[in-house]
Amino acid sequence: MLPNFVLVGFMGCGKTTVGRRLASITGHRFVDADELIVKDQKKSISAIFSEKGEEGFREIEERVIADLVGVAGIILSTGGGAILREANRISLKKIGIIIWLDAQPEVLFERAIRSGRRPLLQNENPRQVFDSLLESRRPIYESTADFRFDSTGIDHDEVSRKVLDLAMRQSREP
Ligand code: S3P
């Protein structure tokens, strides 16, 4: 059976869209960690951040991700900060092949800000916060993922096909 694939990467990198396409190509079930958190809490991500703070959100995120260890046949899309906790990094490695979806900062910022629903960017200076988060997280994506794919300038269908190809090669390596 095809292994699971896990998408990690910064807000705006296209994890959800690419994840859904990968699911439809592979026949795997698409699972979005943020959606599971929303269902679990019956509240939006923004409401969870404002009521419980970022640490409260991270606790729920860790539990939701840990619950997926051992589940087969999934494409998992994670929130941009899911790689911050070591417990999550360990769980994600157990879940499947980890793909870091990346893009140029300008592209990420434009997409991340567009929805207006990302609590970490709801502040006076979103660009500054974005830059410092990106800088601090890049090395963690790098060390956690099995490989990186830069999607700048490539449409989501092509990204999905190429990512699948690379992931399949990765899964065949000893
Ligand atoms: C977060 C990214 C969001 C969501 C939450 C925190 C982050 O997910 O989990 O707002 O810390 O980068 P997306 O990466 O899907 O936007």
Side-chain angles (χ1 to χ4, degrees):
M1 179 168 187
L2 216 57
N4 292 335
F5 301 123
V6 177
L7 294 167
V8 302
F10 207 74
M11 295 174 260
C13 73
K15 290 163 292 191
T16 304
T17 314
V18 171
R20 284 190 194 286
R21 305 232 166 127
L22 281 175
S24 77
I25 305 173
T26 57
H28 274 6
R29 180 164 63 93
F30 175 69
V31 178
D32 185 309
D34 277 354
E35 260 175 38
L36 293 179
I37 295 168
V38 168
K39 270 193 201 144
D40 181 88
Q41 296 293 301
K42 299 182 183 63
K43 279 179 194 138
S44 69
I45 301 285
S46 301
I48 301 168
F49 264 78
S50 61
E51 286 169 31
K52 299 180 192 283
E54 181 172 350
E55 280 314 295
F57 172 82
R58 300 285 172 216
E59 288 299 321
I60 307 160
E61 184 175 53
E62 182 177 330
R63 178 163 49 75
V64 158
I65 291 175
D67 282 349
L68 292 167
V69 175
V71 177
I74 58 168
I75 307 288
L76 172 63
S77 168
T78 59
I83 41 71
L84 294 174
R85 289 196 169 191
E86 194 190 3
N88 292 346
R89 298 196 292 269
I90 293 169
S91 295
L92 296 176
K93 283 183 206 282
K94 288 183 189 160
I95 293 170
I97 294 174
I98 306 179
I99 300 142
W100 170 21
L101 262 195
D102 199 15
Q104 278 167 14
E106 295 314 316
V107 175
L108 292 175
F109 183 70
E110 195 270 319
R111 290 197 205 135
I113 208 79
R114 207 189 303 156
S115 77
R117 275 190 276 112
R118 288 179 164 106
L120 291 174
L121 301 178
Q122 307 299 305
N123 49 61
E124 294 278 286
N125 199 339
R127 182 65 211 221
Q128 203 178 332
V129 174
F130 170 92
D131 285 339
S132 83
L133 285 177
L134 186 58
E135 195 191 327
S136 63
R137 289 177 182 183
R138 272 187 171 280
I140 315 179
Y141 294 127
E142 170 117 56
S143 61
T144 308
D146 292 295
F147 65 92
R148 166 179 176 267
F149 188 86
D150 187 332
S151 68
T152 307
I154 314 177
D155 74 62
H156 285 312
D157 279 325
E158 200 182 338
V159 173
S160 310
R161 284 195 302 272
K162 288 192 165 155
V163 162
L164 182 60
D165 192 44
L166 287 166
M168 291 308 295
R169 274 189 235 169
Q170 188 80 32
S171 72
R172 280 189 223 108
E173 273 176 22

